[in-house]
Every structure is written in C-alpha cells, then in structure tokens.
Amino acid sequence: MDKDILVLKDGTAVKLEAGASLSNMQVRSANKTGMVNVWDKLTAGNLAKAQVKNGTGLVVGNYTDLELVSEMSIVQPDGHILTSFRLREKDALEKRIEAVEEG
C-alpha cells in the first residue's frame, strides 16, 4: 500500500505513516540522521505552501502558512525512528502581524 505524502514548497516529498492529520504527521525514518533531515525541511519557507497527496497521488489537502508546533520521536525496537510532527495553520491575526512586520 502506498503511503500518503506531504509535499513541501521546495518540492520535498515526505512519506507519512498511518492516517495523517496536521496535528499528527507521523514519519518513519531509518535513523536519527534521516529524522533530522526531515525536521530540517519543516521551515517557515517550506511550510508556506504544502500539499498532502494520498497513495495514488491525488491531492487530498492544500495548505498555506503552516507552522511546526512540536516534534516527538520514539526509537522503535527495530532501530527505526517514528516521529510525530504537529503542524497547524496560522490564524488571521498571526498572518496580519507578519504582513505588518514584513513591510
């Protein structure tokens, strides 16, 4: 079964584990380096525009102005790392403040 994919603004495709939601994007990495590589991609710039595609490539979610809230990783018995990234959409007030700060 093909996994859902989170596609970031820069085109990075992140394979997601079980039923993904913004508040629980689970990613399985082979090791700590792989987990950190995914985490490093979750920047404000890359989260400015993102999509979730299902296993067949159909877009099931379009998002803008996401923010990484938290990360929690668990080392699995087989050595893989299961990481839950919690994302959320910025609210209207946050977007307005950012627009004012930008100029």
Side-chain angles (χ1 to χ4, degrees), residues 14-18 20-21 24-28 82-85:
V14 179
K15 289 184 181 179
L16 303 172
E17 294 299 307
S21 68
N24 191 23
M25 294 276 183
Q26 291 189 331
V27 178
R28 186 172 189 254
L82 183 64
T83 304
S84 293
F85 293 102

Side-chain angles (χ1 to χ4, degrees), residues 8-103:
L8 303 173
K9 185 176 180 179
D10 73 352
T12 298
V14 179
K15 289 184 181 179
L16 303 172
E17 294 299 307
S21 68
L22 284 180
S23 63
N24 191 23
M25 294 276 183
Q26 291 189 331
V27 178
R28 186 172 189 254
S29 303
N31 53 42
K32 182 179 177 182
T33 301
M35 182 276 295
V36 171
N37 288 338
V38 172
W39 192 358
D40 284 346
K41 287 291 191 171
L42 300 178
T43 63
N46 270 341
L47 292 173
K49 183 177 179 185
Q51 287 185 325
V52 174
K53 295 182 179 182
N54 68 13
T56 63
L58 179 68
V59 175
V60 295
N62 285 302
Y63 303 97
T64 58
D65 300 313
L66 294 175
E67 182 174 79
L68 176 62
V69 176
S70 66
E71 165 280 330
M72 183 178 76
S73 296
I74 300 171
V75 179
Q76 303 293 290
D78 66 359
H80 285 86
I81 298 175
L82 183 64
T83 304
S84 293
F85 293 102
R86 183 173 175 228
L87 305 176
R88 71 173 181 83
E89 292 183 274
K90 293 178 185 175
D91 63 32
L93 179 60
E94 289 171 309
K95 291 177 187 178
R96 286 189 359 216
I97 290 170
E98 284 179 358
V100 168
E101 289 175 349
E102 287 177 1

